[in-house]
Structure formats: C-alpha cells, structure tokens
Amino acid sequence: MQGKRIIVIVGPSGSGKTTLGEELSKLGYPKLVTTTTRKEREGEIDGVDYYFRNKEDLDPDNFIEQTIYNGNLYGLTKAEVQKALIHHPIVHVSLDKNGAKAMQAVYPDETFVVFVHVSEEEMKKRMRARGDKESKISDRIEFSRSINELTPPDDVDLIIENKVVEDSVQQILQTIREINQKTE
C-alpha cells in the first residue's frame, strides 16, 4: 500500500504511549482498535477503546498478533488494519515488542516503529501521577524488567523521550514525512 504508514508505538507503562496516541488521534490520525477478552471497564466503549469479545468467539488466524496479559487476550486483527489503511494514509497503535515485530512481518513497508524511552524513576513518577497504587507500580516495573520492555526492540525506526507530547508527535510525523520523500 504505497504511501501508507502504521505508527506502532512501543514502550513501557508510564512512557506516554497512550498520550502520544491521543494526540495523534486529535490531529486526525486514527487509532487501530485492538481486541481483548477482558471485561469492559466503566467509561470504555466497545469499538472505540477495544473490541470486547469472548475468547471462544475469536479465531487466532484473524490476528496479526496476540498477547496474554493478566489472563486476558489482547490482539490486533488483520481486518482492523486493512479497513483503516483503505480510508487513511497514517494510522497508529500501541503494541508490545512482539506485536511490533509481527506488524513488521505482515506490513514491512507500512510499519513505522517508535520506541518511547523512559527511565524507571520517570515511570514511577508518571504512574503515581495517574493514581496507580504503589503495589501496582512495583509489579509493573518488575514486569517491565522481566520482559526487557525498557530497551528498544530490534528494527526500531525512531527512539524518542516523550517529555513534551506535542514535540514528540511532531518528531514522529516529521520523520515519516522524510521517509516518504525518500521513497517517492
């Protein structure tokens, strides 16, 4: 798909992935909606935040990638990506390292992986600011260490430190423009 880009945002909890995604959406770059088997939380909307589904209703062959977190399946369907790329030149999604690698395998020319670097201290500070409990913060930091989430994945296209959201988004979009100009 010539000129199409899938911005895949990768980084640990508290790095600002969600905030970057929200800013991209505000600028008109839609978010790819992932599917999960976890229960809908108050305020969440099916088809906007996630597609909430039962595990027995899901066919693994329909997914680009899947992961299990806290006993729930999360994944991105091929249909979601195809539908979005038909209508939009640039879309975005937050995935883990394995999800980014799977996306690169299926969409090698379209995928643009951004790693959002954050120190453990900054992670703790941001998770506290959003109201996370200390036990959850400790668990999340330990989990990030255990899966090597604090280091960039292989084949990353851009590494940023998300200090000012608007600047980070502009850096992402400018890098994509430069890549697109080189490939035209």
Side-chain angles (χ1 to χ4, degrees):
M1 297 190 151
Q2 186 71 24
K4 303 284 184 165
R5 293 284 172 210
I6 305 163
I7 301 169
V8 177
I9 305 170
V10 179
S13 185
S15 64
K17 296 183 305 287
T18 301
T19 306
L20 285 170
E22 289 168 351
E23 189 65 23
L24 285 163
S25 292
K26 284 183 200 170
L27 293 173
Y29 304 106
K31 174 183 105 167
L32 296 173
V33 180
T34 54
T35 299
T36 184
T37 57
R38 82 160 166 75
K39 297 295 178 209
E40 196 171 327
R41 295 178 186 148
E42 188 175 326
E44 290 181 325
I45 300 168
D46 184 54
V48 175
D49 298 293
Y50 290 97
Y51 294 110
F52 297 96
R53 302 293 182 261
N54 294 319
K55 189 171 185 175
E56 45 285 348
D57 296 335
L58 301 177
D59 179 351
D61 291 337
N62 293 336
F63 286 82
I64 292 172
E65 59 85 33
Q66 292 182 13
T67 189
I68 303 284
Y69 181 70
N70 283 342
N72 295 300
L73 182 135
Y74 292 82
L76 182 63
T77 64
K78 297 170 188 172
E80 175 69 9
V81 177
Q82 286 294 85
K83 179 181 73 173
L85 289 179
I86 287 169
H87 298 290
H88 305 283
I90 298 175
V91 297
H92 67 89
V93 64
S94 292
L95 299 173
D96 63 13
K97 288 181 179 185
N98 292 332
K101 188 174 185 171
M103 186 71 86
Q104 287 171 317
V106 178
Y107 293 98
D109 297 329
E110 294 82 4
T111 302
F112 180 80
V113 178
V114 177
F115 179 75
V116 187
H117 171 75
V118 66
S119 68
E120 284 187 26
E121 283 308 309
E122 186 64 22
M123 279 175 70
K124 291 175 189 175
K125 182 176 148 188
R126 290 178 182 183
M127 287 188 278
R128 284 183 187 116
R130 70 183 186 199
D132 291 359
K133 293 182 175 137
E134 288 299 319
S135 60
K136 183 178 178 187
I137 293 169
S138 295
D139 290 348
R140 196 61 185 98
I141 296 284
E142 199 54 46
F143 178 75
S144 292
R145 287 179 187 150
S146 74
I147 64 167
N148 202 23
E149 191 178 48
L150 299 168
T151 58
D154 297 334
D155 300 324
V156 69
D157 295 295
L158 179 65
I159 299 173
I160 61 172
E161 193 163 337
N162 187 25
K163 292 186 178 185
V164 178
V165 175
E166 295 81 3
D167 293 348
S168 296
V169 167
Q170 287 310 311
Q171 184 179 1
I172 292 166
L173 295 173
Q174 180 59 36
T175 305
I176 288 172
R177 282 191 288 273
E178 291 169 4
I179 290 170
N180 285 346
Q181 287 173 350
K182 290 177 185 174
T183 59
E184 288 178 353

